[in-house]
Amino acid sequence: MQLVVARIGRAHGIKGEVTVEVRTDEPELRLGPGAVLATDPAATGPLTIESGRVHSGRLLLRFEGVRDRTGAEALRNTLLIAEVDPEELPEDEDEFYDHQLIDLDVVLADGTEIGRITEISHLPSQDLFIVERPDGSEVMIPFVEEIVTAIDLAEQRAVITPPPGLIDESEAVVASSRDEEAEPEGTAGKSGEAPKGEGS
């Protein structure tokens, strides 16, 4: 099975390095020296990673055969694709690959059906489940431990305990504008450690 693990960005310097937008929680495994990756568009690859380093918080890669800025710029926006065994699991038991989460049923602790996961959105702060409701509408559920209490792959379901207003807007608690000490609407407390999904 193929998973998108990164997207190539701008060239960095003049020796063929490129910036990379990482889309995997295991860059050391997927994007290490010697890794051979398929590409989209396919004609650009396969690409073999020669070296990698972190610079100013961004991953920089150099590929075999790419020696100058012109060659690096030609790779811009190329997707890097790794071949992954469908049975393979992340090393951390609280992490999951996107393909394991897509199509899981989302239910409350009492079994009430909320919908089905159709997409995983990877944001800088956390991951989001995009859940399609039975009526066709969508709701976004943060993939954090306070809300997603269990992932049961055997039963193909995710159990959630949503705060008021996340699923049903009519239950939302709105701060009174007359109370000057009230927190502004939309603020949130500290979130828990977010389980991670690998980009697909």
Side-chain angles (χ1 to χ4, degrees):
M1 182 183 62
Q2 294 187 322
L3 293 178
V4 174
V5 293
R7 182 180 68 83
I8 297 175
R10 294 181 295 182
H12 179 85
I14 60 173
K15 296 183 179 180
E17 284 186 311
V18 295
T19 61
V20 174
E21 175 191 311
V22 177
R23 297 188 181 179
T24 171
D25 291 322
E26 300 174 311
E28 301 86 356
L29 174 65
R30 308 293 180 203
L31 301 171
V36 180
L37 301 167
T39 60
D40 182 6
T44 306
L47 293 173
T48 301
I49 296 175
E50 183 175 289
S51 63
R53 64 188 178 98
V54 176
H55 175 73
S56 298
R58 297 211 62 160
L59 178 62
L60 302 179
L61 295 180
R62 179 183 284 117
F63 299 100
E64 291 184 4
V66 180
R67 289 288 175 264
D68 57 29
R69 188 177 183 88
T70 301
E73 275 294 341
L75 299 176
R76 190 167 183 173
N77 292 324
T78 297
L79 297 178
L80 299 176
I81 302 168
E83 190 68 36
V84 177
D85 184 339
E87 301 302 317
E88 181 182 333
L89 299 175
E91 292 182 3
D92 189 328
E93 63 180 14
D94 291 327
E95 294 182 350
F96 303 88
Y97 294 134
D98 283 11
H99 70 271
Q100 296 175 294
L101 301 172
I102 297 296
D103 286 334
L104 292 188
D105 292 324
V106 178
V107 300
L108 300 180
D110 64 5
T112 302
E113 180 184 359
I114 299 300
R116 179 179 60 87
I117 299 173
T118 58
E119 183 182 346
I120 313 295
S121 179
H122 299 282
L123 303 179
S125 58
Q126 65 188 11
D127 295 335
L128 291 174
F129 290 163
I130 310 301
V131 177
E132 182 177 322
R133 306 291 305 275
D135 63 5
S137 63
E138 288 186 339
V139 60
M140 293 183 291
I141 298 176
F143 191 10
V144 295
E145 60 187 354
E146 290 88 348
I147 296 175
V148 181
T149 57
I151 297 290
D152 189 335
L153 296 180
E155 295 293 329
Q156 286 290 288
R157 67 178 190 171
V159 181
I160 64 170
T161 55
L166 182 64
I167 303 300
D168 186 348
E169 292 183 1
S170 66
E171 297 176 354
V173 178
V174 180
S176 171
S177 60
R178 294 188 299 269
D179 184 355
E180 294 182 357
E181 298 301 318
E183 290 187 11
E185 184 178 353
T187 59
K190 181 179 179 182
S191 62
E193 180 67 22
K196 298 293 185 181
E198 176 163 343
S200 58

